[in-house]
Amino acid sequence: MTNPRLQEGVECRQLDAELVVFAAASARTYRLSETAALILLFCDGEHSEEEILTEIQGLVRGGDPQTVAADVRRTLEDFRAQQLIA
Amino acid sequence: MIGAAHETGFRVAEFTGTVSSNDAEFINDFHRLFYQRAEPVARPDASYRVFVDRRFSLEKRHSVAAGADQDEIVVITAFYPSILAALEHHICRRIVATLSSHCLLEASFLSCDGRGLLIAGDRELPTGRLLQVLVERGCGYFGHGLAILDRQTRRVIPFPKSISIRRPAHPVTDFRRQEITFRNRERVVMRHIPPPPAARREGDEQRRVDSIVFLRPADGREPMVSPVGKADALERLVAHGLGGPASAAADFSLLADIAGRSSACEVHVGGIAATSRLILELARGTEAGRLAASCEEGGNE
C-alpha cells in the first residue's frame, strides 16, 4: 500500500488556528480540527499509515492509544472518501 | 431582419461587447447600465441586436437566444427596462465565462475613506439599495454584483456597471380572458441607477480588500453584526466564487490571502439607513464599528 499523499489540486491554508483545505476536483472547502490538520500534514507521501499513527500518538498525550488509532484510521478513511488524499 | 441603425461598444476589463439597435434612446440607456464605452471591435466577446418597438401591444415578447457565432438577444418590445435586465444578466454570464484570467466573485466592492470594502450577500437581499445609499454617503463605487480580482496584483478591477435595484413588476392585466386576471404578479424587474460621478468610480481609490461584509437577512428593522473568523471568511468567499475548476486552486490561494489580511464580519440587514451607517462604521474602523464587530451576539447598542 502506498503512503498517503495529498491528491492533486488539494490546497491547504492555515488561517488563525484552523486549517482550511480546498479540493479543486469537488470545489469544496473543509475546515479541519487541530488533530485532523496534523494527520493531513503528515500525508506527504513520506509517511506510511502506521508512521502517521505513531506520530499522532506521540503528539496526542493522555489519550487512549486504541482510541487514537481508531480515530486516525477513520480520519484517513474520511480523507480518502473526500478525495483529499490518495 | 433587424434594421440596426445604431451600434456601440462596451468594455469590462478585457471583455468587449457590441450592441446594435434601431433605437438610439435604448443605446443611451444601455450605456447608463454598462458605462465604459469602447469602439466596436471586429471580434467582440459578445454581441447583441436589440429591436425596440414602441407601439403598444399586449403581445410583448422577448427572448435570449444564442446566435450561430455570437450571443444575441432578439427583442421586440416597448418596455425595454425588463430587456435591459435580461441583457445585464446575459452579459454578466458571458463575462464570467470569458474572464477566466481573473478571480470573479459574486460580490460588490466599494471604497470607504481609502479602505476597500467587499460586500457579499444573498441575491434576495437589497444590496442595490444599500450600495446606492453608501455611495450617496461618499463611498467610492467599484461595482455591483460582480467583483473582479486581478490574480497578479490581488486588487479589484472596476466593474463598470450601474447599480441595479430589484423591484416588483407592475402586474399585467390579461384582458384576453373573460375575467380580468393579473399575470406575473411575482415578477421583479431591475431599476438601474445611473453611474456615480467618475470621481467616485475609479482612480486613486483603494482597490485592495481591507474589509469584508457578509450580508444576511435580519428578523427586525435593526441591523446586527457578528464577527467572522478568517477561516470562516475564506470558506464563505470560496462559496461566492464564480470561477471554473481550471482556476479553482489559483482562486483559493488569492482568496486565502484576502481572508488572511482582511477583517470580516456578518451584517444582518435591517433598515437600509441604519445598515448603511453600521457598514460605514465597520469599514472606517471607528470605535463604534469595532465595538459592534466585537459583540458575539451582534448587538449594536
Side-chain angles (χ1 to χ4, degrees):
Chain A
M1 193 171 183
T2 57
N3 294 342
R5 63 166 63 235
L6 289 185
Q7 288 267 27
E8 198 173 331
V10 173
E11 304 281 334
C12 303
R13 187 65 73 99
Q14 184 157 2
L15 290 171
D16 291 339
E18 290 187 85
L19 190 73
V20 184
V21 181
F22 177 71
S26 59
R28 289 189 63 182
T29 52
Y30 304 86
R31 285 161 62 188
L32 302 188
S33 68
E34 194 176 348
T35 308
L38 275 174
I39 295 170
L40 191 68
L41 293 175
F42 280 116
C43 295
D44 54 4
E46 302 290 322
H47 295 79
S48 68
E49 202 163 314
E50 288 307 311
E51 287 170 334
I52 294 172
L53 182 55
T54 306
E55 294 281 0
I56 298 298
Q57 281 179 327
L59 291 167
V60 179
R61 292 177 186 173
D64 173 37
Q66 286 189 331
T67 307
V68 173
D71 285 348
V72 170
R73 290 203 172 89
R74 193 176 63 243
T75 303
L76 287 169
E77 282 308 307
D78 285 346
F79 288 163
R80 286 195 184 92
Q82 302 295 340
Q83 298 185 314
L84 298 179
I85 61 170
Chain B
M1 191 69 181
I2 294 173
H6 308 277
E7 185 178 57
T8 187
F10 65 98
R11 177 180 294 278
V12 177
E14 290 86 39
F15 179 91
T16 55
T18 302
V19 177
S20 56
S21 175
N22 64 329
D23 192 279
E25 193 179 335
F26 174 84
I27 294 286
N28 287 336
D29 284 350
F30 175 82
H31 269 307
R32 280 199 285 277
L33 178 59
F34 285 92
Y35 51 79
Q36 188 162 320
R37 297 186 185 214
E39 288 297 316
V41 295
R43 295 180 64 85
D45 296 300
S47 71
Y48 302 92
R49 288 186 300 158
V50 181
F51 179 66
V52 179
D53 184 351
R54 291 174 184 278
R55 291 168 299 180
F56 180 73
S57 163
L58 285 175
E59 298 297 327
K60 303 296 183 297
R61 292 287 184 273
H62 74 267
S63 63
V64 179
D69 302 319
Q70 303 158 331
D71 289 281
E72 64 180 28
I73 282 184
V74 178
V75 183
I76 300 175
T77 182
F79 301 111
Y80 61 72
S82 62
I83 305 310
L84 271 177
L87 204 53
E88 174 191 352
H89 181 68
H90 203 246
I91 289 170
C92 288
R93 281 176 50 201
R94 291 302 310 271
I95 289 170
V96 169
T98 305
L99 289 183
S100 56
S101 58
H102 299 283
C103 174
L104 303 173
L105 293 178
E106 191 170 10
S108 303
F109 193 78
L110 299 173
S111 69
C112 180
D113 293 349
R115 292 172 55 81
L117 174 64
L118 188 78
I119 300 177
D122 299 345
R123 276 186 199 167
E124 301 307 314
L125 289 167
T127 54
R129 286 171 55 216
L130 197 54
L131 257 62
Q132 184 190 11
V133 172
L134 288 167
V135 170
E136 285 169 358
R137 293 184 172 186
C139 288
Y141 175 73
F142 282 82
H144 176 209
L146 183 67
I148 306 170
L149 289 151
D150 187 314
R151 288 207 188 96
Q152 301 297 319
T153 64
R154 303 320 218 204
R155 288 177 185 238
V156 169
I157 294 172
F159 176 40
K161 184 192 75 68
S162 296
I163 297 170
S164 302
I165 295 179
R166 294 162 63 91
R167 65 178 182 183
H170 295 294
V172 178
T173 309
D174 191 342
F175 294 107
R176 290 170 297 183
R177 299 179 183 174
Q178 292 299 314
E179 58 194 44
I180 295 174
T181 58
F182 292 98
R183 293 184 288 137
N184 303 324
R185 190 190 294 268
E186 303 301 324
R187 274 186 58 226
V188 294
V189 295
M190 292 290 187
R191 182 162 64 92
H192 302 294
I193 304 300
R200 287 201 190 155
R201 294 204 302 258
E202 295 158 20
D204 299 330
E205 292 160 309
Q206 179 62 269
R207 293 194 283 122
R208 189 183 72 177
V209 181
D210 295 303
S211 309
I212 307 167
V213 168
F214 296 101
L215 300 178
R216 291 287 179 272
D219 293 332
R221 297 280 305 162
E222 284 302 309
M224 293 169 51
V225 61
S226 52
V228 171
K230 293 188 183 303
D232 191 4
L234 173 56
E235 199 171 21
R236 294 179 191 217
L237 286 176
V238 171
H240 281 89
L242 296 168
S247 61
D251 286 353
F252 176 78
S253 171
L254 189 158
L255 296 176
D257 286 350
I258 289 172
R261 68 159 185 251
S262 309
S263 61
C265 61
E266 183 175 81
V267 170
H268 294 254
V269 178
I272 295 296
T275 305
S276 63
R277 273 197 302 274
L278 176 62
I279 290 175
L280 280 174
E281 286 171 356
L282 291 167
R284 287 171 175 153
T286 62
E287 189 60 35
R290 282 194 291 276
L291 189 65
S294 66
C295 293
E296 282 293 329
E297 294 304 316
N300 296 311
E301 56 279 6

